[in-house]
Amino acid sequence: MGSQGSSLEALNRWVDDVARLTEPASVVWCDGSDAEYARLVETMLASGDLLPLNEKTNPRSYLHRSHPSDVARVEHLTFVCTPEEEDAGPNNHWMAPADAHAKIDALFEGAMRGRTMYVIPYCMGPIDSPISRCGVEITDSPYVVANMRIMTRMGAPALARIEREGRFVKGLHSTGELDPERRFIMHFPEELSIKSYGSGYGGNALLGKKCHALRIASHQARKEGWLAEHMLIVGIENPKGEKHYIAAAFPSACGKTNLAMLIPTEGYRNAGWKVWTVGDDICWMTPGADGRLWAINPEAGYFGVAPGTGANTNPAALETLGHDAIFTNTAITADGRPWWEGLGEGEPVMDWQGRPYNAANGPAAHPNSRFTVSAKQCPSWAPESEDATGVPISAIVFGGRRPSLVPLVFEAKDWAHGVLVGASMGSETTAAATGAVGVLRRDSMAMKPFCGYNFADYFAHWLSFDKPGAKLPRIFHVNWFRKDADGRFMWPGYGENLRVLDWMIERVEGKAAGKSTPIGTVPARGELNTAGLDVSPATVDELLHVDVEGWIEELNAIGTYLDGFGARMPERLKAERARVSEALEAAQERRGERVA
């Protein structure tokens, strides 16, 4: 920790400019060392920014409480600032770059008086990977520095790479007064820069995460011919020791972290199957010399949602959190352990705001309370997460929460059809999310809040990968959430989802014939391994059934949704939707003839 500066003139000049604007008491260049982290923790314990947890049960772990008005991402205050509004698209809030800079720089003026300004060089991805990209975040929050150290490759090696390459994403952050009326997150894709003011919450303040790794990186990826996606990466190893890597995109509350850290059930474990976690949230994919897509997880840690994480849902996550973790807005027990709803053990005595726990005040832990922890602590952490070349992707999986209509699993006919499947994915709202139940919210590729440019151009970019010589991943869609007439889940989910991934791998390897339907290929009877499962053959048939009339309506709704992105919507995607519609109508006619 020091004020050494950099050998890169452009970086020094920017740091000096920011210091002049924000007027900090001191400037510290972060080196990412253990000693620096220890000093930061001491500083925050002294100020009350961190509270120590039980050293026996949770060694070197701490609780942070954020301001009650600052507990989540603020999409309505998040802007993509491109010269032309059309380039940001209807999927983003837009502000002209000059106006945005003027608005937020006025807030930054003198904002760091009396505070330390930290300069954090970081690398998203393995430090020597050509797929990785670097950035520098300037912040006045020691909490942000501590979390960036866990979430990125931060410090001296990153600075060395930045100095070698001469390019980096510039991120400027201040917690400001934590006033919701003075809070903005501005992205300037053309300038590769981010400015965030007025929030200390992770998604708004850890600028390497959604801001850089998705909004700015998606713009970079489009220009440079790769993909920056809101996807987990999981490795499935079969009994022969062969590994297939799967990238998967799910909207929130659809079991993404549980799938990333999936633990094989006893039958699969005994047969020799293993699951490896490469990433739980973000995936950068680029075409390799062999025509396949190769992926890295740009993050080094997990910034996960605590509520709902328990021994029955995600035992691997619990094991990961046993030491060296930072918890944000959880409750605590009488003996100083972190607690949240769904943990399944212990009792809260203090809620997330530090008040004595009283059920009348609502949940003990904030519903969006978090943990930050190094990925290497996960029992299923994949050592190849550090490989500079990344891992080759065999399959891309899209998913959503649909109580009816959408089968347990189906495979897209080809790449263009797969892009349509990803573009139209969505979830139906549950009672917990909003007053209106059963409203379908589409969240294309789970990227709606995170794509840094026009969604229509984004779909065109996806389609552009389908070129001669490309050996693209197979694309699948899953739905773990089908319900029967009594409202009960028909599929057990969690560890049993490996059975579905097993079928996908059989498809990739050409070992499963599948059954063709108008919407794609579903498992043929007997192909889905249900041995030892309490799921009847009739239930499996229902889980894989394609309701032609329901799907004709769905395709009409998808057409309306895609048209909402305007004239830039690729004709090829519209044609693909029309093709599926025609296949469904033909199936309807054939059935009508049979009945007649």
Side-chain angles (χ1 to χ4, degrees), residues 252-253 307 363 367-368 401 428-439 441 483:
S252 60
N368 194 38
R401 182 182 277 269
E428 285 181 38
T429 52
T430 59
T434 168
V437 178
V439 177
R441 288 200 178 137
K483 289 183 176 177

Side-chain angles (χ1 to χ4, degrees), residues 44 127 226 361 416 574:
M44 288 187 280
I127 203 80
W226 49 285
N361 289 334
K574 291 184 182 177

